[in-house]
């Protein structure tokens, strides 16, 4: 009888700790936002610049943002960018044909920072017809 009671108390304590931890993390989690800082029209050799912030515009340094540049046929160029001290990251455009692209940026989040996604149209035009 005493052993069963001890097990029940231990399970209840574990459940309470788990609920408390979940509530603490949920209450202290921040929404994140990925802003594209570059112009909508770029040339090869230029860089696509992004910035990762929270809802209060605080930068998130040292975080990984996944960037995917899709052409009109659906071909994807994938990059993994680590943000600098200002929360910014960039990808240099090399070997792209002139045309319209879609820029997808994903941040998977951390324990206290919620995931974020952005979608932006991008045009690459080197001025060569």
């Amino acid at each position: 009888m005493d052993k069963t009671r001890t097990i029940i108390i231990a399970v209840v304590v574990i459940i309470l700790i788990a609920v408390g931890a979940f509530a603490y993390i949920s209450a202290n989690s921040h929404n994140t936002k990925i802003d594209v800082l570059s112009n909508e029209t770029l040339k090869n050799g230029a860089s696509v610049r992004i910035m990762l912030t929270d809802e209060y515009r605080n930068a998130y340094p040292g975080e990984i943002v996944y960037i995917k540049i899709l052409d009109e046929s659906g071909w994807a160029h994938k990059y993994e960018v680590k943000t600098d001290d200002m929360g910014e990251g960039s990808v240099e455009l090399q070997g792209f044909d002139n045309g319209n692209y879609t820029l997808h940026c994903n941040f998977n989040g951390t324990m206290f920072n919620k995931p974020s996604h952005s979608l932006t149209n991008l045009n690459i035009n080197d001025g060569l017809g």
Side-chain angles (χ1 to χ4, degrees):
M1 197 68 127
D2 202 24
K3 193 175 193 182
T4 304
R5 184 176 180 171
T6 304
I7 292 172
I8 291 173
I9 290 173
V11 168
V12 168
V13 168
I14 290 171
I15 290 172
L16 289 175
I17 289 172
V19 168
F22 177 77
Y24 178 79
I25 290 170
S26 295
N28 292 295
S29 293
H30 299 283
N31 292 321
T32 58
K33 181 179 179 186
I34 303 170
D35 291 316
V36 177
L37 304 176
S38 303
N39 291 331
E40 191 175 298
T41 300
L42 297 171
K43 295 181 178 184
N44 277 300
S47 293
V48 171
R49 293 181 27 238
I50 57 103
M51 183 176 205
L52 179 65
T53 60
D54 66 9
E55 67 242 82
Y56 306 110
R57 305 289 299 159
N58 296 315
Y60 282 115
E63 298 293 346
I64 300 295
V65 177
Y66 298 95
I67 296 176
K68 185 169 35 174
I69 302 173
L70 291 167
D71 65 16
E72 291 175 328
S73 69
W75 178 259
H77 302 267
K78 297 178 182 181
Y79 305 93
E80 185 176 298
V81 175
K82 188 172 187 176
T83 58
D84 63 13
D85 292 339
M86 300 299 292
E88 295 183 18
S90 65
V91 170
E92 186 176 351
L93 301 174
Q94 290 293 333
F96 285 86
D97 293 332
N98 287 344
N100 296 314
Y101 294 82
T102 306
L103 179 68
H104 295 261
C105 301
N106 286 304
F107 172 62
N108 290 336
T110 62
M111 184 180 295
F112 291 105
N113 301 316
K114 295 179 181 175
S116 182
H117 176 78
S118 75
L119 180 70
T120 305
N121 291 322
L122 178 66
N123 181 277
I124 297 178
N125 187 345
D126 287 328
L128 305 173

